[in-house]
Amino acid sequence: MVNIGRRWGWPALRHAALSFAATFLCAFAAQAQNCNLPDVPRPADFPEQPINIFIPRSSNSGSLGLSQKIAEAIEALKDKDGNPLGLRVNTLFKFGGDMNVALDYFNGLPPNGYNVIQLMDTYSSLLASSTGEGNLVPISMAQVTFSQLYIRADDTRFSDLGSFLDYAANSAKGSDPVPLRVALFGAAEDRSGQENILLRKFIVNYGTNVVADTSVAPTIVSHAFESGSERYFSLFSQSSDQRSDALIEQPGDVAQLISGGLLKPIFTFLPQQDLNPEISARLKERLGQTASFPDTSGENCRAYYRYRGFFIPKDVPADRRQFLEWVFRKAVDSVTFREFNHDEYMDVLYFDRDILDSYCTTGQLNEFFQDSIRDHRACISGQDTAKAAG
């Protein structure tokens, strides 16, 4: 389902007849859709101890809040008769180096259903870069969203996409060119992550003389961080080594900085043809007017949509896996978690039934995940082809 535009044609064709007024009357209904999940019997003697959710991110990333809200929703679950299930959840950090540290540790734990790991699209890019299929399978999708390009709201050098690009072009002129640095997640040498892919797409579409080679000085370059807090606040740093000029991030991870008037988006990393009237109106209402990519219908590299979800080992016993799928999907479908996603600007895309279904059904969820891997593989393969041709 990451290939929403290619595979389902997006809801623009299906919902074009909806009026603008009806769009906003349906806004909360879309947010509050119910998965109508049938009850799954609780396996005998499971769980007898807390379920552990491992978070392979720093405590300052958006992953912490998401897992905490899921844990709260799980602990509040009741059975069909209204009795508390009495489930307990621990949230644990395994951060350091890169995501492989957490994955190596997690894959060494027993596949007994007590251990769940929260992963995002970075996991798809890791699998796309390797020859293996991975040992983990998704049990629930918690967020499907997009990235934006953010600048400081009080930046006096530029205030929108046009002035940002003009400043970038002018910064390359003269005897001592200084490129603009865009903060993103990852290690400096890693170019397979989605934020790097999106930045390259942005440069191809909007940059002038921005390709870093021996003859042309770049005007826009990546500035990689593995720590969320360092990445976000590099826009406010007084240190020339740490300072960034812009940031690529999901809106949920910087929701407080947006709401506090510290950051503003100037670009949304989605193709224009994927923004139907309902989503465009919701995007403008929640986050303001931004530009997006022009027509991308002919491209192979379709890695645009971001996700966070929960994964377990493939060989967890089937009855425990089915119960965990039900537990986590019920938690995602709870009122408290839907309100959390709304407050974090993470429900802008939820006018599409196929996105909503990826939260509810195993088939859609697996399809979504496999599409994500294929999209990242196509982007990485295209990058390698271009490098070889150069």
Side-chain angles (χ1 to χ4, degrees), residues 10-19 23 276-278 351-353:
W10 268 83
L13 299 177
R14 301 198 302 267
H15 301 310
L18 284 177
S19 68
T23 293
N276 64 53
E278 292 80 15
F351 281 103
D352 184 76
R353 181 73 220 182

Side-chain angles (χ1 to χ4, degrees), residues 184-234:
L184 43 77
F185 171 77
E189 66 277 4
D190 176 26
R191 292 180 57 77
S192 63
Q194 184 155 335
E195 292 175 3
N196 264 307
I197 291 170
L198 293 173
L199 181 58
R200 290 196 300 274
K201 285 176 177 285
F202 179 80
I203 288 172
V204 167
N205 280 277
Y206 294 96
T208 302
N209 294 335
V210 294
V211 180
D213 59 28
T214 56
S215 60
V216 180
T219 60
I220 301 174
V221 297
S222 63
H223 194 196
F225 296 88
E226 288 191 64
S227 166
S229 59
E230 290 181 359
R231 183 164 74 256
Y232 308 150
F233 292 103
S234 66

Side-chain angles (χ1 to χ4, degrees), residues 59-302:
S59 59
N60 290 311
S61 75
S63 295
L64 172 60
L66 181 145
S67 282
Q68 288 177 329
K69 285 295 180 181
I70 283 291
E72 292 173 10
I74 289 174
E75 292 181 342
L77 288 178
K78 299 179 180 180
D79 63 20
K80 62 182 179 180
D81 298 320
N83 301 312
L85 285 177
L87 303 179
R88 294 172 294 154
V89 182
N90 295 326
T91 53
L92 307 171
F93 287 98
K94 193 62 182 176
F95 177 71
D98 56 31
M99 186 177 283
N100 285 312
V101 173
L103 289 172
D104 289 345
Y105 177 84
F106 186 81
N107 285 325
L109 298 174
N112 54 17
Y114 283 100
N115 300 305
V116 178
I117 188 168
Q118 183 205 129
L119 296 174
M120 59 188 300
D121 41 85
T122 305
Y123 183 54
S124 292
S125 67
L126 285 175
L127 293 179
S129 303
S130 68
T131 56
E133 295 183 356
N135 183 48
L136 307 179
V137 292
I139 58 170
S140 176
M141 197 58 59
Q143 291 174 335
V144 178
T145 187
F146 49 85
S147 289
Q148 291 187 300
L149 183 67
Y150 295 93
I151 61 172
R152 286 178 55 162
D154 63 352
D155 202 316
T156 58
R157 300 171 299 169
F158 36 73
S159 60
D160 55 19
L161 179 62
S163 56
F164 178 83
L165 293 173
D166 288 344
Y167 191 92
N170 291 330
S171 70
K173 298 176 181 178
S175 58
D176 187 22
V178 180
L180 294 187
R181 296 199 290 188
V182 177
L184 43 77
F185 171 77
E189 66 277 4
D190 176 26
R191 292 180 57 77
S192 63
Q194 184 155 335
E195 292 175 3
N196 264 307
I197 291 170
L198 293 173
L199 181 58
R200 290 196 300 274
K201 285 176 177 285
F202 179 80
I203 288 172
V204 167
N205 280 277
Y206 294 96
T208 302
N209 294 335
V210 294
V211 180
D213 59 28
T214 56
S215 60
V216 180
T219 60
I220 301 174
V221 297
S222 63
H223 194 196
F225 296 88
E226 288 191 64
S227 166
S229 59
E230 290 181 359
R231 183 164 74 256
Y232 308 150
F233 292 103
S234 66
L235 271 69
F236 305 90
S237 175
Q238 300 300 311
S239 167
S240 59
D241 291 337
Q242 294 296 311
R243 186 167 56 245
S244 301
D245 301 287
L247 165 73
I248 295 178
E249 190 51 275
Q250 309 174 74
D253 285 25
V254 288
Q256 292 184 357
L257 298 176
I258 298 170
S259 299
L262 298 175
L263 294 184
K264 61 180 290 187
I266 60 172
F267 187 83
T268 297
F269 291 95
L270 287 176
Q272 290 177 2
Q273 72 263 26
D274 284 3
L275 293 172
N276 64 53
E278 292 80 15
I279 293 174
S280 294
R282 191 76 174 279
L283 179 62
K284 182 178 179 181
E285 176 200 18
R286 303 289 324 272
L287 292 162
Q289 185 71 51
T290 62
S292 296
F293 285 117
D295 180 48
T296 57
S297 55
E299 71 172 0
N300 293 320
C301 175
R302 293 280 305 170

